[in-house]
Amino acid sequence: MKGLVVALLLVATACSSGPPNGVAAEPSPSPTPAPTETPRAINFPGPDRSAPYRPGVLAREIRVTEHKLHRAIALWQDAGGRRRSAEGHTVALGALWQQKLTRRLVARSRILDRVLGALPASLRHVVAARVRAGAGLRALTSPVTGHPDFRITPPTPYRELERFYRAGDDRYAVPAAILASVNFVETKFGRFMGPSSAGAKGPMQFMPSTWDSYGNGGDIWDPHDSIIAAARYLHAMGAPGDMDRALYAYNNSEAYVRAILIYGRQIANRPDAFYEFYFWQVFVRTKHGDVQLTGPGHDHL
């Protein structure tokens, strides 16, 4: 269908009825002991903090962050779930730190086994899957030359996205969690909508020629139209019966297919995963290192 944005590293990617679901089950992590925090005083590292390198410190940060982020998301939802709020900012900081810890493991695979070995079994499975997905997607990207200059937009409100994913599921039987996963990997829920280096556009990164066939006259930049078109396309390519084939048609990469399925399983089966990924940010690879383009510490959330 089209290629990933080679410059961007879009990886490490609610309504009362809960986050999108609909893919195969994955074990949920058991509650992990962590230092007790005051419920409304949950602190995460600032946006300029770099993830640690030492395996023991990384493992400890992962355990504590998962516990605190779960609590922060609960408080955020209790306060109304507004992205631009004090509670939303706390979740954004926690998700950014979670993302940085994951990215550190993606970049330093030689310490991965030592870090995973220090985690509880259920959390080990979740982290290992995230790292596997992130490493596969990173291998598909290339560093940009010069100063990165991309048009950044705010993410689509997550409650709207959930309605659109479910509408795609209802209409074309493509699991809502898969549509959320594609939206996450392709554009971080609309934070970067292209055009990509290959010419793909919009929240779900359609090539214009493919959009002409599957957009049904809609707006390629509109989240609703784009998500429904993605469901329509995946259904035409074999979903849900042959999801691997359909996703491979969407992007001709086994690593891409694997990543979409991994993130989709986490979104479907871990209650907080959709909200965590919703607050993950856009990073770009350069020849001088990775650069964060969105999120706390930047103009765009």
Side-chain angles (χ1 to χ4, degrees):
M1 177 183 175
K2 47 81 194 152
L4 279 175
V5 182
V6 296
L8 288 179
L9 181 57
L10 298 180
V11 301
T13 242
C15 298
S16 59
S17 56
N21 54 29
V23 295
E26 173 178 286
S28 297
S30 302
T32 304
T36 303
E37 73 274 1
T38 304
R40 297 196 177 276
I42 301 174
N43 297 313
F44 293 102
D48 296 328
R49 174 94 170 269
S50 296
Y53 288 89
R54 294 172 57 188
V57 179
L58 259 173
R60 184 179 67 246
E61 286 292 329
I62 290 170
R63 290 196 305 270
V64 172
T65 299
E66 293 294 323
H67 174 86
K68 291 170 65 176
L69 188 51
H70 172 78
R71 182 63 181 147
I73 289 171
L75 293 174
W76 169 62
Q77 291 180 313
D78 288 345
R82 291 179 296 114
R83 185 171 62 88
R84 291 186 178 275
S85 64
E87 294 84 1
H89 183 67
T90 297
V91 175
L93 286 174
L96 176 62
W97 187 236
Q98 179 192 61
Q99 184 181 10
K100 287 182 177 181
L101 296 172
T102 304
R103 290 169 58 81
R104 181 69 77 208
L105 290 176
V106 168
R108 292 175 63 86
S109 58
R110 61 187 177 84
I111 65 171
L112 178 60
D113 288 344
R114 293 172 62 187
V115 173
L116 294 178
L119 298 177
S122 54
L123 182 56
R124 183 184 311 139
H125 179 91
V126 171
V127 172
R130 280 188 204 141
V131 172
R132 186 184 183 204
L137 291 177
R138 185 182 182 91
L140 300 178
T141 67
S142 301
V144 299
T145 57
H147 181 73
D149 184 21
F150 301 108
R151 185 170 71 91
I152 299 298
T153 54
T156 303
Y158 69 92
R159 288 189 177 97
E160 293 182 16
L161 291 175
E162 289 175 329
R163 291 198 299 271
F164 303 158
Y165 303 146
R166 291 188 176 103
D169 193 340
D170 291 344
R171 199 173 304 176
Y172 295 104
V174 177
I178 290 294
L179 296 173
S181 181
V182 172
N183 196 193
F184 167 61
V185 169
E186 294 290 352
T187 65
K188 286 294 190 292
F189 303 109
R191 286 178 172 87
F192 174 82
M193 298 204 290
S196 75
S197 58
K201 301 176 180 179
M204 303 297 269
Q205 289 291 278
F206 273 91
M207 291 294 289
S209 58
T210 307
W211 183 262
D212 289 343
S213 299
Y214 293 93
N216 276 21
D219 181 355
I220 197 171
W221 300 101
D222 181 80
H224 171 270
D225 293 354
S226 191
I227 289 167
I228 298 301
R232 185 180 299 119
Y233 178 84
L234 289 169
H235 179 77
M237 295 299 111
D242 193 344
M243 190 63 70
D244 286 28
R245 175 177 174 269
L247 289 171
Y248 191 84
Y250 205 95
N251 193 296
N252 300 159
S253 163
E254 292 182 1
Y256 177 87
V257 173
R258 182 167 57 246
I260 296 298
L261 293 175
I262 286 172
Y263 292 132
R265 281 193 293 269
Q266 295 205 358
I267 290 169
N269 297 291
R270 296 185 60 247
D272 289 343
F274 175 68
Y275 310 119
E276 292 168 357
F277 293 152
Y278 183 76
F279 282 97
W280 277 27
Q281 304 300 332
V282 176
F283 285 76
V284 62
R285 289 182 68 189
T286 76
K287 292 185 176 180
H288 305 290
D290 295 348
V291 177
Q292 181 187 339
L293 297 184
T294 65
H298 295 75
D299 293 334
H300 302 278
L301 288 175

Short mmCIF file of all heavy atoms in Angstrom, two decimals, residues 39-40 42 44 69 71-94 279:
data_model
loop_
_atom_site.label_atom_id
_atom_site.label_comp_id
_atom_site.label_asym_id
_atom_site.label_seq_id
_atom_site.Cartn_x
_atom_site.Cartn_y
_atom_site.Cartn_z
N PRO A 39 -1.58 9.69 46.60
CA PRO A 39 -2.38 9.53 45.39
C PRO A 39 -2.37 10.71 44.44
O PRO A 39 -2.34 10.53 43.23
CB PRO A 39 -3.79 9.28 45.96
CG PRO A 39 -3.55 8.62 47.27
CD PRO A 39 -2.30 9.28 47.80
N ARG A 40 -2.38 11.92 44.95
CA ARG A 40 -2.43 13.07 44.07
C ARG A 40 -1.09 13.81 43.99
O ARG A 40 -1.04 14.97 43.67
CB ARG A 40 -3.56 14.01 44.49
CG ARG A 40 -4.92 13.33 44.36
CD ARG A 40 -6.07 14.31 44.39
NE ARG A 40 -7.34 13.61 44.21
CZ ARG A 40 -7.86 13.28 43.03
NH1 ARG A 40 -7.24 13.60 41.92
NH2 ARG A 40 -9.02 12.64 42.95
N ILE A 42 1.85 12.20 42.36
CA ILE A 42 2.65 11.22 41.62
C ILE A 42 3.66 11.97 40.77
O ILE A 42 3.27 12.79 39.93
CB ILE A 42 1.75 10.33 40.75
CG1 ILE A 42 0.72 9.60 41.62
CG2 ILE A 42 2.58 9.33 39.96
CD1 ILE A 42 -0.30 8.82 40.84
N PHE A 44 7.00 12.00 38.13
CA PHE A 44 7.82 11.31 37.15
C PHE A 44 9.01 12.19 36.79
O PHE A 44 8.96 13.41 37.00
CB PHE A 44 7.00 11.01 35.89
CG PHE A 44 5.91 10.02 36.07
CD1 PHE A 44 4.58 10.43 36.19
CD2 PHE A 44 6.18 8.66 36.15
CE1 PHE A 44 3.56 9.52 36.37
CE2 PHE A 44 5.16 7.73 36.34
CZ PHE A 44 3.85 8.16 36.45
N LEU A 69 2.35 4.83 36.73
CA LEU A 69 1.59 5.25 35.56
C LEU A 69 0.17 4.70 35.62
O LEU A 69 -0.80 5.38 35.23
CB LEU A 69 2.30 4.81 34.28
CG LEU A 69 1.76 5.34 32.96
CD1 LEU A 69 1.59 6.85 32.97
CD2 LEU A 69 2.68 4.91 31.81
N ARG A 71 -1.52 4.23 38.32
CA ARG A 71 -2.22 5.08 39.29
C ARG A 71 -2.52 6.46 38.68
O ARG A 71 -3.61 7.00 38.86
CB ARG A 71 -1.36 5.23 40.55
CG ARG A 71 -2.00 6.05 41.66
CD ARG A 71 -3.26 5.40 42.16
NE ARG A 71 -3.88 6.20 43.22
CZ ARG A 71 -5.18 6.28 43.41
NH1 ARG A 71 -6.01 5.64 42.60
NH2 ARG A 71 -5.68 7.00 44.39
N ALA A 72 -1.57 6.99 37.93
CA ALA A 72 -1.77 8.31 37.32
C ALA A 72 -2.90 8.28 36.30
O ALA A 72 -3.69 9.23 36.21
CB ALA A 72 -0.47 8.77 36.65
N ILE A 73 -3.01 7.21 35.54
CA ILE A 73 -4.09 7.09 34.56
C ILE A 73 -5.44 7.02 35.26
O ILE A 73 -6.42 7.63 34.82
CB ILE A 73 -3.85 5.87 33.65
CG1 ILE A 73 -2.68 6.15 32.70
CG2 ILE A 73 -5.11 5.53 32.85
CD1 ILE A 73 -2.22 4.95 31.91
N ALA A 74 -5.50 6.28 36.38
CA ALA A 74 -6.76 6.19 37.13
C ALA A 74 -7.19 7.56 37.64
O ALA A 74 -8.36 7.93 37.55
CB ALA A 74 -6.60 5.21 38.28
N LEU A 75 -6.24 8.32 38.18
CA LEU A 75 -6.55 9.66 38.68
C LEU A 75 -6.96 10.60 37.55
O LEU A 75 -7.87 11.43 37.71
CB LEU A 75 -5.35 10.22 39.43
CG LEU A 75 -4.99 9.52 40.74
CD1 LEU A 75 -3.69 10.08 41.31
CD2 LEU A 75 -6.11 9.67 41.76
N TRP A 76 -6.30 10.47 36.43
CA TRP A 76 -6.63 11.29 35.25
C TRP A 76 -8.05 11.00 34.78
O TRP A 76 -8.82 11.93 34.51
CB TRP A 76 -5.61 10.98 34.16
CG TRP A 76 -5.90 11.51 32.81
CD1 TRP A 76 -6.04 12.82 32.44
CD2 TRP A 76 -6.09 10.74 31.61
NE1 TRP A 76 -6.29 12.91 31.08
CE2 TRP A 76 -6.32 11.65 30.56
CE3 TRP A 76 -6.05 9.38 31.33
CZ2 TRP A 76 -6.52 11.24 29.25
CZ3 TRP A 76 -6.26 8.96 30.03
CH2 TRP A 76 -6.49 9.88 29.01
N GLN A 77 -8.42 9.74 34.71
CA GLN A 77 -9.77 9.40 34.31
C GLN A 77 -10.80 9.88 35.33
O GLN A 77 -11.86 10.38 34.97
CB GLN A 77 -9.89 7.89 34.10
CG GLN A 77 -9.11 7.39 32.89
CD GLN A 77 -9.23 5.89 32.71
OE1 GLN A 77 -9.06 5.13 33.66
NE2 GLN A 77 -9.50 5.46 31.50
N ASP A 78 -10.48 9.73 36.61
CA ASP A 78 -11.39 10.21 37.66
C ASP A 78 -11.63 11.71 37.54
O ASP A 78 -12.71 12.21 37.89
CB ASP A 78 -10.81 9.89 39.05
CG ASP A 78 -10.87 8.41 39.38
OD1 ASP A 78 -11.59 7.67 38.68
OD2 ASP A 78 -10.19 8.00 40.34
N ALA A 79 -10.61 12.44 37.05
CA ALA A 79 -10.71 13.90 36.93
C ALA A 79 -11.35 14.33 35.61
O ALA A 79 -11.44 15.53 35.34
CB ALA A 79 -9.32 14.53 37.08
N GLY A 80 -11.77 13.38 34.78
CA GLY A 80 -12.45 13.73 33.54
C GLY A 80 -11.71 13.36 32.28
O GLY A 80 -12.26 13.47 31.17
N GLY A 81 -10.45 12.94 32.39
CA GLY A 81 -9.72 12.46 31.22
C GLY A 81 -9.39 13.51 30.20
O GLY A 81 -9.27 13.20 29.01
N ARG A 82 -9.20 14.76 30.64
CA ARG A 82 -8.83 15.80 29.68
C ARG A 82 -7.32 15.77 29.45
O ARG A 82 -6.55 15.76 30.39
CB ARG A 82 -9.25 17.19 30.20
CG ARG A 82 -10.77 17.39 30.21
CD ARG A 82 -11.15 18.75 30.75
NE ARG A 82 -10.78 18.89 32.15
CZ ARG A 82 -9.87 19.72 32.60
NH1 ARG A 82 -9.21 20.51 31.75
NH2 ARG A 82 -9.60 19.80 33.89
N ARG A 83 -6.92 15.78 28.19
CA ARG A 83 -5.48 15.72 27.88
C ARG A 83 -4.75 16.93 28.40
O ARG A 83 -3.67 16.82 28.99
CB ARG A 83 -5.29 15.60 26.35
CG ARG A 83 -3.84 15.40 25.93
CD ARG A 83 -3.76 15.08 24.44
NE ARG A 83 -4.26 16.16 23.63
CZ ARG A 83 -3.52 17.18 23.19
NH1 ARG A 83 -2.23 17.25 23.52
NH2 ARG A 83 -4.03 18.11 22.42
N ARG A 84 -5.33 18.10 28.21
CA ARG A 84 -4.71 19.33 28.69
C ARG A 84 -5.25 19.67 30.08
O ARG A 84 -6.18 20.46 30.24
CB ARG A 84 -4.96 20.48 27.70
CG ARG A 84 -4.22 20.30 26.38
CD ARG A 84 -4.38 21.52 25.49
NE ARG A 84 -3.64 21.40 24.25
CZ ARG A 84 -2.35 21.70 24.11
NH1 ARG A 84 -1.66 22.14 25.14
NH2 ARG A 84 -1.76 21.56 22.94
N SER A 85 -4.70 19.00 31.05
CA SER A 85 -5.05 19.20 32.45
C SER A 85 -3.85 18.82 33.28
O SER A 85 -2.87 18.23 32.77
CB SER A 85 -6.25 18.32 32.84
OG SER A 85 -5.91 16.94 32.73
N ALA A 86 -3.88 19.16 34.56
CA ALA A 86 -2.75 18.79 35.42
C ALA A 86 -2.58 17.28 35.46
O ALA A 86 -1.46 16.76 35.40
CB ALA A 86 -2.99 19.34 36.84
N GLU A 87 -3.70 16.56 35.56
CA GLU A 87 -3.63 15.10 35.59
C GLU A 87 -3.14 14.54 34.25
O GLU A 87 -2.37 13.57 34.21
CB GLU A 87 -5.01 14.51 35.93
CG GLU A 87 -5.49 14.82 37.32
CD GLU A 87 -6.17 16.19 37.44
OE1 GLU A 87 -6.27 16.89 36.40
OE2 GLU A 87 -6.60 16.53 38.54
N GLY A 88 -3.59 15.17 33.15
CA GLY A 88 -3.13 14.74 31.84
C GLY A 88 -1.64 14.98 31.66
O GLY A 88 -0.94 14.16 31.04
N HIS A 89 -1.14 16.08 32.20
CA HIS A 89 0.29 16.37 32.11
C HIS A 89 1.10 15.33 32.88
O HIS A 89 2.17 14.91 32.42
CB HIS A 89 0.58 17.77 32.64
CG HIS A 89 2.02 18.17 32.52
ND1 HIS A 89 2.63 18.39 31.31
CD2 HIS A 89 2.98 18.37 33.48
CE1 HIS A 89 3.90 18.72 31.51
NE2 HIS A 89 4.13 18.71 32.80
N THR A 90 0.58 14.90 34.02
CA THR A 90 1.27 13.86 34.79
C THR A 90 1.34 12.57 34.00
O THR A 90 2.39 11.91 33.94
CB THR A 90 0.56 13.63 36.13
OG1 THR A 90 0.61 14.83 36.92
CG2 THR A 90 1.23 12.51 36.92
N VAL A 91 0.23 12.18 33.39
CA VAL A 91 0.23 10.97 32.57
C VAL A 91 1.19 11.12 31.39
O VAL A 91 1.92 10.18 31.05
CB VAL A 91 -1.19 10.64 32.07
CG1 VAL A 91 -1.16 9.45 31.11
CG2 VAL A 91 -2.12 10.34 33.24
N ALA A 92 1.21 12.31 30.79
CA ALA A 92 2.12 12.54 29.66
C ALA A 92 3.57 12.37 30.08
O ALA A 92 4.38 11.78 29.35
CB ALA A 92 1.90 13.94 29.08
N LEU A 93 3.93 12.88 31.26
CA LEU A 93 5.30 12.71 31.75
C LEU A 93 5.60 11.24 32.01
O LEU A 93 6.69 10.75 31.68
CB LEU A 93 5.50 13.52 33.04
CG LEU A 93 5.62 15.03 32.90
CD1 LEU A 93 5.66 15.68 34.28
CD2 LEU A 93 6.88 15.41 32.11
N GLY A 94 4.65 10.53 32.62
CA GLY A 94 4.88 9.12 32.91
C GLY A 94 4.99 8.28 31.65
O GLY A 94 5.85 7.39 31.55
N PHE A 279 -0.21 8.73 24.84
CA PHE A 279 0.69 9.78 25.29
C PHE A 279 2.15 9.54 24.90
O PHE A 279 3.02 10.30 25.30
CB PHE A 279 0.58 9.95 26.82
CG PHE A 279 -0.63 10.73 27.25
CD1 PHE A 279 -1.78 10.07 27.66
CD2 PHE A 279 -0.64 12.11 27.24
CE1 PHE A 279 -2.90 10.77 28.08
CE2 PHE A 279 -1.74 12.83 27.65
CZ PHE A 279 -2.88 12.15 28.07
#
